[in-house]
């Protein structure tokens, strides 16, 4: 007689939750999985929203990783479209082996292409708008940058950088971290305004840890080193290495991208999972309570469905991708030894986040500040007179993101706080604001507007200030709760990329499949993304 399967409940159908379920079922047939998703979208912030045939990628998701495990996992789901490689007129090199498609990657078959489930190879190009001039992002030392800055300013930049090296001390905040790598002049030009837009705080009020995690190795020295390396590579006629392990992540120039945006791959994974009789995905299901038994050998999960009624499920493990601030409000632990203290609960409830909204605009025309054609994926707006932080040009992420390729489909990204002035504006007001700011920046004429939409996303960015200083105590307390595992960006309050979120999911699936669930092994999951092999700058 077969033993009953252990039941695992996953809170959240984003990259972490879905890749956890996929990996656990690959490793063991001893489990059944129920995924509870609060919204009606698959993919978390990696979802793709379809507005009248025009698709929006929330925040922009490049598919590359220096983890071979993640790269191969993606490629097993969606093969690489060979035509795009041939059109770019170069081969790929992966782990030192030069082939048409690197080892571990599938070439798209005719059937794959007909289903559109393919990864396109895309060229990364992002630039900064500063003083109505375009600079490469990340900042590069090239003729255009030097011409834009001007000779006198270059002298000021150089002296400022030298001063930062002479007066170097261990940085105590993000402002000091950036100044130590670029000097005060470049910091003022290219970092201060944008960073304050993103976080709603001056960089001097933000932990230096954020810089260590998100921009860690990038500096003037790295930029100059990259210039030299690429020049030498051209002389040697080197092939492109899709793993790009020797390139600082913020300088990577090629990435893979699902034909119809990131949500396409996560919707595919969810569909695959649901074909397994031991997997259930419940949409529009909001967690309300997690009860952990006194022996911590079973948990009871309660959730509210779309009609308002409450449902209850028993399980052996709970995998949480939900924000820690919400998790602790739902968590009830009967074992007095492992109950969270009031101070820990208060700190967890007050963990800070930044919210995010995207204004999608379909335009007849969209151009650079001097009327030039734009092939950028992102424009970073380093102009203090407008509220917009970044602008995505969805046509350039994938031409299939826009229904009519004669038009430009752009997304203006605003960083805000739930309930603040921006968040509280209605859709028409936000569309009017976006059009006004594009006009102010010299990127379009208001008459170019055809139609638009607004998407609001709560708790998009876990922040590193205020009660975050107590994160170690919060982590230690939650690790002790045996059947509870935290994974992913919001689940761990770590500003992870989706590949790092996936790695936390893979490691957790391995622990559960191996029944290796002690506090020490659980703590190892938190080490993902602390070695700092790389972190994407956004």
């Amino acid at each position: 007689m077969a033993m009953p399967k252990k039941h695992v409940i996953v809170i959240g159908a984003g990259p972490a939750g879905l890749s956890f379920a996929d990996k656990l079922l690959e490793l063991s047939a001893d489990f059944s999985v129920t995924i509870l998703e609060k919204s009606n979208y698959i993919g978390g912030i990696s979802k793709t929203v379809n507005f009248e045939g025009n698709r929006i990628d929330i925040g922009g998701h490049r598919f590359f990783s220096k983890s071979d495990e993640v790269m191969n996992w993606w490629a097993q789901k969606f093969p690489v479209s060979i035509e795009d490689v041939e059109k770019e007129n170069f081969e790929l090199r992966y782990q030192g082996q030069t082939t048409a498609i690197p080892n571990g990657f599938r070439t798209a078959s005719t059937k794959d292409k007909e289903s559109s489930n393919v990864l396109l190879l895309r060229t990364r190009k992002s630039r900064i708008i500063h003083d109505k001039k375009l600079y490469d992002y990340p900042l590069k030392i090239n003729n255009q940058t030097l011409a834009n800055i001007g000779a006198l300013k270059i002298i000021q930049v150089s002296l400022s950088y030298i001063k930062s090296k002479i007066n170097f001390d261990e940085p105590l905040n993000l402002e000091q971290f950036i100044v130590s790598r670029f000097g005060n002049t470049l910091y003022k030009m290219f970092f201060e305004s944008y960073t304050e837009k993103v976080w709603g705080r001056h960089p001097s009020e933000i932990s230096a840890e954020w810089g260590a995690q998100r921009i860690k190795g990038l500096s003037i020295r790295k930029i100059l080193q990259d210039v030299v390396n690429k020049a030498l590579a051209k002389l040697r006629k080197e092939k492109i290495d899709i793993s790009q392990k020797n390139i600082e992540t913020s300088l990577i120039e090629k990435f893979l991208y699902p034909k119809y945006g990131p949500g396409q791959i996560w919707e595919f994974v969810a569909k695959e999972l649901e074909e397994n009789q031991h997997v259930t995905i419940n949409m529009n299901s909001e967690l309300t309570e997690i009860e952990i038994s006194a022996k911590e050998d079973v948990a009871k999960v309660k959730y509210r469905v779309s009609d308002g009624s409450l449902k209850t499920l028993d399980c052996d493990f709970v995998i949480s991708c939900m924000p820690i601030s919400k998790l602790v409000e739902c968590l009830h632990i009967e074992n007095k030894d492992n109950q969270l203290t009031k101070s820990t609960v208060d700190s967890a409830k007050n963990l800070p986040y930044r919210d995010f909204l995207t204004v999608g605009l379909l335009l007849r025309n969209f151009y650079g500040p001097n009327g030039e054609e734009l092939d950028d994926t992102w424009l970073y707006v380093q102009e203090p007179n407008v509220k917009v932080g970044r602008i995505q040009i969805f046509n350039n992420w994938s031409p299939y993101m826009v229904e009519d390729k004669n038009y430009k489909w752009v997304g203006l990204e605003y960083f805000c706080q739930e309930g603040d002035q921006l968040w509280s504006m209605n859709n028409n007001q936000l569309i009017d604001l976006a059009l006004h700011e594009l006009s102010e920046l010299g990127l379009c004429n208001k008459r170019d507007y055809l139609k638009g939409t607004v998407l609001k996303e709560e708790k998009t960015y876990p922040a590193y200030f205020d009660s975050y200083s107590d994160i170690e105590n919060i982590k230690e307390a939650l690790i002790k709760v045996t059947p509870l595992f935290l994974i992913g960006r919001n689940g761990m309050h770590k500003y992870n990329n989706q590949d790092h979120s996936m790695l936390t999911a893979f490691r957790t699936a391995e622990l559960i499949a191996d029944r290796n669930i002690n506090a020490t092994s659980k703590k190892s999951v938190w080490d993902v993304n602390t070695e700092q092999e790389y972190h994407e700058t956004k």
Side-chain angles (χ1 to χ4, degrees):
M1 183 175 176
M3 292 285 290
K5 293 182 181 293
K6 294 282 187 180
H7 185 205
V8 182
I9 292 181
V10 179
I11 313 299
L18 294 171
S19 53
F20 165 82
D22 184 84
K23 175 62 73 172
L24 181 65
L25 296 173
E26 173 195 321
L27 294 171
S28 175
D30 298 337
F31 298 90
S32 64
V33 178
T34 300
I35 300 175
L36 303 178
E37 169 54 44
K38 178 182 175 182
S39 74
N40 61 346
Y41 281 100
I42 292 290
I45 61 169
S46 296
K47 64 177 173 279
T48 303
V49 176
N50 189 331
F51 171 68
E52 299 182 14
N54 303 292
R55 292 170 168 82
I56 292 178
D57 177 354
I58 310 296
H61 290 83
R62 289 181 285 265
F63 281 66
F64 65 81
S65 177
K66 293 184 179 179
S67 164
D68 300 334
E69 181 180 12
V70 171
M71 291 293 284
N72 288 327
W73 190 91
W74 279 331
Q76 289 308 308
K77 302 300 180 185
F78 278 19
V80 177
S81 179
I82 187 69
E83 289 87 354
D84 294 274
V85 175
E86 290 175 341
K87 189 167 72 173
E88 294 286 348
N89 194 32
F90 61 79
E91 296 178 8
L92 303 176
R93 190 181 68 188
Y94 186 66
Q95 296 185 331
Q97 297 183 3
T98 303
T99 55
I101 291 292
N103 290 340
F105 283 74
R106 292 187 297 126
T107 304
S109 65
T110 302
K111 185 177 180 181
D112 289 322
K113 293 167 193 169
E114 288 173 354
S115 72
S116 296
N117 291 335
V118 294
L119 291 166
L120 308 178
L121 183 73
R122 308 301 296 159
T123 299
R124 168 186 175 148
K125 183 176 180 181
S126 299
R127 283 183 288 181
I128 302 165
I129 301 179
H130 171 68
D131 197 22
K132 293 197 173 179
K133 297 174 184 175
L134 292 174
Y135 296 80
D136 287 322
Y137 178 89
L139 193 63
K140 297 178 182 176
I141 306 300
N142 55 27
N143 291 337
Q144 187 63 54
T145 299
L146 297 176
N148 283 352
I149 293 176
L152 290 176
K153 198 76 170 180
I154 288 292
I155 295 171
Q156 188 179 345
V157 166
S158 302
L159 292 174
S160 172
Y161 177 68
I162 292 168
K163 183 180 177 182
S164 74
K165 293 301 163 187
I166 293 173
N167 298 331
F168 178 79
D169 289 312
E170 194 65 31
L172 301 177
N173 56 53
L174 182 58
E175 179 177 62
Q176 292 175 5
F177 182 93
I178 299 172
V179 169
S180 72
R181 281 153 177 76
F182 292 92
N184 191 62
T185 302
L186 284 180
Y187 160 73
K188 292 286 186 185
M189 291 174 66
F190 295 115
F191 294 95
E192 185 176 35
S193 173
Y194 176 75
T195 304
E196 192 162 4
K197 284 180 188 179
V198 173
W199 297 110
R201 300 287 182 95
H202 190 267
S204 62
E205 300 175 44
I206 300 173
S207 167
E209 184 179 343
W210 187 92
Q213 180 161 334
R214 299 299 295 185
I215 25 183
K216 62 129 183 158
L218 192 61
S219 62
I220 286 183
R221 183 179 62 81
K222 283 282 188 180
I223 291 169
L224 292 172
Q225 184 179 324
D226 184 67
V227 170
V228 172
N229 287 343
K230 285 178 179 174
L232 292 174
K234 284 183 180 179
L235 290 174
R236 293 193 297 263
K237 296 183 180 180
E238 286 186 358
K239 304 300 183 183
I240 297 295
D241 180 350
I242 200 170
S243 72
Q244 302 176 91
K245 288 179 180 291
N246 60 337
I247 300 176
E248 191 65 36
T249 302
S250 293
L251 303 174
I252 285 175
E253 295 175 344
K254 298 290 178 184
F255 62 94
L256 297 171
Y257 195 73
K259 185 174 181 177
Y260 290 110
Q264 183 188 9
I265 200 166
W266 298 114
E267 290 161 14
F268 175 85
V269 172
K271 186 178 178 182
E272 267 194 338
L273 287 169
E274 286 191 298
E275 289 172 357
N276 186 317
Q277 62 177 323
H278 302 298
V279 177
T280 304
I281 301 178
N282 295 329
M283 306 300 292
N284 299 299
S285 299
E286 182 176 4
L287 183 84
T288 61
E289 190 173 355
I290 302 172
E291 294 181 5
I292 307 294
S293 68
K295 292 183 179 180
E296 297 199 349
D297 56 351
V298 68
K300 191 182 295 290
V301 170
K302 297 180 181 179
Y303 61 100
R304 182 176 288 106
V305 295
S306 54
D307 66 4
S309 61
L310 287 172
K311 296 185 178 295
T312 302
L313 289 172
D314 291 330
C315 64
D316 300 281
F317 301 101
V318 177
I319 313 301
S320 175
C321 308
M322 70 187 296
I324 292 176
S325 60
K326 295 293 185 184
L327 171 68
V328 296
E329 291 181 353
C330 302
L331 191 59
H332 299 280
I333 303 167
E334 292 184 13
N335 184 338
K336 292 183 179 180
D337 292 336
N338 285 343
Q339 287 177 354
L340 278 60
T341 65
K342 184 180 184 303
S343 63
T344 298
V345 170
D346 289 343
S347 294
K349 284 182 178 179
N350 290 310
L351 282 171
Y353 303 83
R354 282 293 272 173
D355 304 307
F356 185 79
L357 63 87
T358 303
V359 182
L361 301 177
L362 191 67
L363 304 167
R364 292 184 183 89
N365 293 296
F366 184 77
Y367 35 77
N370 295 308
E372 64 268 46
E373 183 74 18
L374 295 173
D375 55 355
D376 304 71
T377 48
W378 259 320
L379 295 175
Y380 287 75
V381 184
Q382 188 71 25
E383 303 280 28
N385 63 315
V386 294
K387 296 181 184 298
V388 63
R390 288 186 310 209
I391 303 168
Q392 283 195 81
I393 308 172
F394 295 115
N395 308 61
N396 297 336
W397 285 84
S398 167
Y400 301 96
M401 296 285 278
V402 57
E403 185 177 46
D404 187 336
K405 295 175 180 56
N406 293 312
Y407 298 137
K408 294 296 183 181
W409 176 230
V410 302
L412 283 78
E413 300 178 350
Y414 292 88
F415 308 95
C416 51
Q417 212 69 40
E418 187 178 357
D420 71 10
Q421 182 184 6
L422 264 176
W423 186 269
S424 302
M425 293 170 72
N426 64 38
N427 285 12
N428 289 335
Q429 290 172 323
L430 285 165
I431 288 170
D432 287 344
L433 172 67
L435 286 168
H436 171 74
E437 295 199 337
L438 285 183
S439 179
E440 282 285 302
L441 293 167
L443 303 180
C444 83
N445 191 299
K446 291 182 181 179
R447 294 190 299 272
D448 290 323
Y449 173 70
L450 295 168
K451 55 187 173 182
T453 189
V454 175
L455 301 177
K456 295 182 178 180
E457 199 70 30
E458 300 174 10
K459 294 180 171 54
T460 309
Y461 298 108
Y464 287 32
F465 40 76
D466 295 344
S467 69
Y468 178 80
S469 60
D470 201 29
I471 191 66
E472 284 301 313
N473 290 331
I474 296 168
K475 178 179 80 173
E476 293 291 334
L478 292 170
I479 282 174
K480 290 178 184 176
V481 184
T482 304
L484 177 67
F485 289 78
L486 277 58
I487 63 173
R489 177 185 278 202
N490 271 343
M492 306 174 83
H493 203 89
K494 294 178 74 171
Y495 194 174
N496 286 332
N497 295 328
Q498 65 173 341
D499 62 331
H500 294 118
S501 293
M502 291 167 63
L503 287 170
T504 66
F506 293 160
R507 300 293 80 82
T508 299
E510 290 164 357
L511 294 181
I512 292 176
D514 293 340
R515 309 298 200 273
N516 183 13
I517 55 173
N518 59 68
T520 301
S521 61
K522 289 174 71 175
K523 193 177 294 185
S524 68
V525 176
W526 290 76
D527 292 335
V528 171
N529 204 13
T530 57
E531 299 87 349
Q532 298 181 359
E533 181 183 341
Y534 87 99
H535 305 283
E536 176 58 38
T537 301
K538 283 195 173 181

